[in-house]
Amino acid sequence: MACCNNRRKPEWLKIKLPMGQLSTGVLNIVRGHNLHTICTSGMCPNQGECWGAGTATFMIGGDVCTRSCKFCNVATGRPAPLDLREPENIANSVKLLELKHAVITSVDRDDLEDLGAGHWVRVIEAVKRENPNTTMEVLIPDFQGRRELVQQVIDVRPEVISHNLETVRRLSDSVRSRAKYDISLEVIRQVSESGIVSKSGIMLGLGETREEILQTMDDLRAAGCKVMTIGQYLQPTSANLEVKEYVTPEIFEEYGRIGLEKGFRHVESGPLVRSSYHAEKHVK
């Protein structure tokens, strides 16, 4: 796999900061409704592009996660109680932003009896009620592999349900917190069998091999996964895992072609690709 000096970011990884009137409008709506976005909590490199286009990925359940994945910048600890106004606030924000396609993710809420599944249902129902013409992608946690909780989200029928593998099998336990590779595959399989578009994503640059990446693609396809995203891991802080290599755009393009050959309906593959990047295309 081609790479460059991992102590210095290559030119293709330069990030545009949020700017312009639309970006300010998104920020005002998010803050005004006491909401969180993965754009800021996760230090997404596409924040400028997406906010400049008037879109954002909402993060529900608060901004503190019960897990401590070593790649992630979201705060870890004991979360506050759920905000019971959040479903309506999300729905109203989607309306104010005039979103044709809404993307919603969440922190892990292992502290709750239902792991946050009921809150997910209330948010999805509120968005649908207030925005009947808006399609929706939800990026869900694994709910500890509890099928009945995954089914609650399936039953309210968002157009796309995504759950990220994040990395290859060999690295999964050292990169993720509590989440297990095979449990994630089962979540994706359950979504696929429901007829809803299933989606997953991985990061490159953590020390994986080409063979492992191709095997991960095969594992996802065997679980019925329709859409895949592949992006470059970027170290958010010194407390997170170090980047092992920066993969070139050409290699990302190659993986994108291979993914389509393997039968994925859509593959987003590039250094700055994140799970919700160009998500409006994936619903099709």
Side-chain angles (χ1 to χ4, degrees), residues 19 45 77 105 124 142 155 159 171 197 215 219 232 240 277 279:
M19 59 189 301
T105 185
I124 295 169
D142 63 6
D155 286 344
E159 282 74 17
L171 299 176
V197 175
Q215 182 60 57
D219 292 343
Q232 170 72 50
N240 297 100
Y277 190 59

Side-chain angles (χ1 to χ4, degrees), residues 147 149-158 161 187 190-192 194 196:
R147 291 182 60 87
L149 299 182
V150 177
Q151 191 62 43
Q152 287 185 31
V153 178
I154 290 172
D155 286 344
V156 287
R157 310 302 292 183
I161 299 181
V187 170
Q190 185 177 351
V191 173
S192 301
S194 76
I196 292 175

Side-chain angles (χ1 to χ4, degrees), residues 120-229:
W120 263 109
V121 169
R122 290 187 288 274
V123 168
I124 295 169
E125 288 179 336
V127 171
K128 283 179 172 286
R129 184 169 57 250
E130 293 296 322
N131 305 273
N133 296 319
T134 298
T135 55
M136 199 180 329
E137 174 185 322
V138 298
L139 172 55
I140 62 171
D142 63 6
F143 295 118
Q144 297 179 12
R146 290 171 55 183
R147 291 182 60 87
E148 76 277 11
L149 299 182
V150 177
Q151 191 62 43
Q152 287 185 31
V153 178
I154 290 172
D155 286 344
V156 287
R157 310 302 292 183
E159 282 74 17
V160 180
I161 299 181
S162 180
H163 175 67
N164 287 338
L165 272 184
E166 308 293 5
T167 188
V168 300
R169 181 187 292 276
R170 176 177 59 87
L171 299 176
S172 185
D173 288 346
S174 62
V175 169
R176 307 164 84 198
S177 168
R178 299 188 64 177
K180 300 297 181 184
Y181 189 88
D182 286 313
I183 287 178
S184 289
L185 284 176
E186 285 306 308
V187 170
I188 294 162
R189 188 186 312 279
Q190 185 177 351
V191 173
S192 301
E193 290 174 351
S194 76
I196 292 175
V197 175
S198 54
K199 175 179 170 181
S200 190
I202 63 170
M203 304 169 288
L204 305 188
L206 288 164
E208 67 288 327
T209 67
R210 176 186 175 87
E211 291 71 23
E212 288 174 323
I213 295 166
L214 299 185
Q215 182 60 57
T216 301
M217 289 182 179
D218 291 339
D219 292 343
L220 286 171
R221 285 298 300 128
C225 188
K226 298 291 194 301
V227 179
M228 184 178 187
T229 62

Side-chain angles (χ1 to χ4, degrees), residues 17-269:
L17 295 174
M19 59 189 301
Q21 207 167 23
L22 276 175
S23 179
T24 303
V26 172
L27 181 62
N28 289 339
I29 289 171
V30 169
R31 285 180 174 173
H33 288 78
N34 194 32
L35 300 176
H36 306 287
T37 68
I38 195 61
C39 316
T40 52
S41 296
M43 294 180 67
C44 179
N46 302 308
Q47 184 175 336
E49 178 181 349
C50 296
W51 284 30
T55 64
T57 297
F58 299 102
M59 185 172 72
I60 65 173
D63 61 350
V64 176
C65 187
T66 53
R67 301 188 185 181
S68 54
C69 296
K70 295 177 179 63
F71 64 89
C72 186
N73 187 59
V74 176
T76 301
R78 180 178 294 179
L82 291 172
D83 180 358
L84 300 182
R85 298 167 300 177
E86 190 169 54
E88 294 305 323
N89 285 340
I90 293 284
N92 289 334
S93 295
V94 169
K95 180 180 286 187
L96 287 169
L97 289 168
E98 300 180 345
L99 299 183
K100 294 180 179 178
H101 183 67
V103 183
I104 305 169
T105 185
S106 77
V107 292
D108 282 282
R109 292 300 304 254
D110 297 303
D111 58 311
L112 301 174
E113 186 176 348
D114 72 348
L115 310 181
H119 191 66
W120 263 109
V121 169
R122 290 187 288 274
V123 168
I124 295 169
E125 288 179 336
V127 171
K128 283 179 172 286
R129 184 169 57 250
E130 293 296 322
N131 305 273
N133 296 319
T134 298
T135 55
M136 199 180 329
E137 174 185 322
V138 298
L139 172 55
I140 62 171
D142 63 6
F143 295 118
Q144 297 179 12
R146 290 171 55 183
R147 291 182 60 87
E148 76 277 11
L149 299 182
V150 177
Q151 191 62 43
Q152 287 185 31
V153 178
I154 290 172
D155 286 344
V156 287
R157 310 302 292 183
E159 282 74 17
V160 180
I161 299 181
S162 180
H163 175 67
N164 287 338
L165 272 184
E166 308 293 5
T167 188
V168 300
R169 181 187 292 276
R170 176 177 59 87
L171 299 176
S172 185
D173 288 346
S174 62
V175 169
R176 307 164 84 198
S177 168
R178 299 188 64 177
K180 300 297 181 184
Y181 189 88
D182 286 313
I183 287 178
S184 289
L185 284 176
E186 285 306 308
V187 170
I188 294 162
R189 188 186 312 279
Q190 185 177 351
V191 173
S192 301
E193 290 174 351
S194 76
I196 292 175
V197 175
S198 54
K199 175 179 170 181
S200 190
I202 63 170
M203 304 169 288
L204 305 188
L206 288 164
E208 67 288 327
T209 67
R210 176 186 175 87
E211 291 71 23
E212 288 174 323
I213 295 166
L214 299 185
Q215 182 60 57
T216 301
M217 289 182 179
D218 291 339
D219 292 343
L220 286 171
R221 285 298 300 128
C225 188
K226 298 291 194 301
V227 179
M228 184 178 187
T229 62
I230 310 172
Q232 170 72 50
Y233 168 66
L234 298 174
Q235 184 179 7
T237 73
S238 59
N240 297 100
L241 291 170
E242 291 185 0
V243 177
K244 298 292 185 183
E245 63 179 341
Y246 290 118
V247 180
T248 66
E250 292 76 19
I251 296 295
F252 274 105
E253 288 178 13
E254 181 187 2
Y255 285 135
R257 290 194 299 270
I258 291 172
L260 293 175
E261 291 169 1
K262 287 181 176 292
F264 287 98
R265 184 182 300 175
H266 193 93
V267 181
E268 291 282 352
S269 182

